[in-house]
Amino acid sequence: MVEIKDSSNVRKLKEEFLRDFKRFDTVEDFSDHHYAAEGSPAKLSLWHLKFKGRPKNWVKDIQKEWKILDKNLPETIFVRACESRIDILRAVIIGAEGTPYHDGLFFFDIQFPDTYPSVPPKVHYHSGGLRINPNLYKCGKVCLSLISTWTGKKREKWLPKESTMLQLLVSIQALILNEKPYFNEPGYEKSMGTPLGESYSKDYSENVFVFSLKTMVYSMRKPPQHFEEFVRSHFFVRSHDIVKACNAYKDGAPVGSIDKGGVKKQTRQRGSLKFRINVTSFMKTVVDEFVNLGAIREANHRVGIASKKF
């Protein structure tokens, strides 16, 4: 069992930082942005951008998107837009409770093309080389009807006069980072509710959570620009809940059954032996990163497979 003891004063400072961290804000530059090398050169004025072969209202349309994001972003999505390159922005989505993505941070780089809003934005996922969802590829590709990277009904596709960046981000959160991502795979939704389909879904979600733990470590070791302190504060504050969830999973709780604070939801299901072993095996790496953050001052590192009899 891993125990956590942190400084209450430092924790309060981290919590205050997260409370004050604006859901939408602008930054000067994005040198590490996936689309930084595409589109307009850095530091072009808005006047220049208006006359670079783009639609007449291109700048106004993007500024309108900024206003919508500033007023309507949910508390689990944060966005930074670039003042010197208004065609790019970065978003982070916090994984929701009840999903195998809980407590994780998932980053996306976005670009408004020259012909926006006639065409949808481009989206790149910070994968860290991990495939955590059928819709999120190791290469960073995001597969979604709304951005024309997958087929879909007319109302599911990008509608130039109706679709918004806010809709796109909320769709990624709700449709991709969901409770049962296995059924996102084309055709698999037909098996939803069947014993075999639910069994495969459970196995997939268990693997996803382990990949989510690895994504946490990747984010802590290499936080994206302009979110460095956000990443550190987020995992400092949530380290308690993450460790409690991992301990519960080691003891057999099914993935996604742990509420914030480590409270188990009532369920008869049990996590698989493979899942319990995998969580136990990788947990030490996660705890070590929490130690590096200062979130854990003392830890019993008996988290190896040998410390737990399965």
Side-chain angles (χ1 to χ4, degrees), residues 94-292:
I94 301 175
E97 291 181 18
T99 75
Y101 305 101
H102 67 79
D103 298 304
L105 295 178
F106 305 94
F107 286 90
F108 299 85
D109 283 357
I110 300 161
Q111 182 189 38
F112 296 103
D114 290 349
T115 53
Y116 175 85
S118 296
V119 297
K122 297 178 182 179
V123 185
H124 175 84
Y125 168 60
H126 289 227
S127 72
L130 300 169
R131 183 81 183 272
I132 65 166
N133 189 284
N135 300 74
L136 302 176
Y137 289 70
K138 290 181 180 180
C139 64
K141 178 182 178 181
V142 178
C143 202
L144 192 65
S145 301
L146 189 58
I147 55 174
S148 301
T149 51
W150 185 248
T151 58
K153 299 178 182 178
K154 184 177 181 181
R155 298 299 303 179
E156 296 173 343
K157 296 182 178 181
W158 183 263
L159 302 175
K161 295 182 179 180
E162 298 180 28
S163 301
T164 66
M165 178 59 61
L166 176 65
Q167 177 190 356
L168 171 57
L169 294 174
V170 172
S171 294
I172 291 174
Q173 183 179 50
L175 301 179
I176 295 180
L177 302 174
N178 59 35
E179 183 180 357
K180 296 182 178 181
Y182 171 80
F183 297 114
N184 285 14
E185 193 71 51
Y188 287 14
E189 72 280 358
K190 296 177 182 178
S191 66
M192 184 179 291
T194 67
L196 186 60
E198 294 298 328
S199 176
Y200 285 149
S201 174
K202 175 176 171 288
D203 291 344
Y204 188 88
S205 290
E206 289 180 345
N207 289 331
V208 164
F209 179 73
V210 175
F211 283 152
S212 183
L213 288 179
K214 293 181 179 181
T215 301
M216 293 179 192
V217 171
Y218 171 77
S219 297
M220 284 186 276
R221 291 177 177 175
K222 192 178 180 181
Q225 189 178 13
H226 302 300
F227 286 91
E228 295 91 344
E229 185 54 38
F230 177 83
V231 170
R232 288 189 286 266
S233 296
H234 171 86
F235 286 115
F236 187 102
V237 170
R238 297 217 179 189
S239 57
H240 285 258
D241 295 334
I242 294 169
V243 169
K244 286 179 180 178
C246 287
N247 282 329
Y249 295 152
K250 284 167 53 183
D251 291 337
V255 66
S257 65
I258 309 300
D259 287 332
K260 190 173 182 180
V263 179
K264 296 181 182 179
K265 297 178 182 177
Q266 294 298 321
T267 176
R268 294 182 179 180
Q269 289 188 340
R270 297 279 291 175
S272 69
L273 176 60
K274 178 183 176 182
F275 177 54
R276 295 161 66 187
I277 291 174
N278 286 341
V279 170
T280 300
S281 178
F282 193 72
M283 193 175 171
K284 183 180 184 302
T285 302
V286 178
V287 171
D288 285 343
E289 291 302 317
F290 291 159
V291 171
N292 291 337

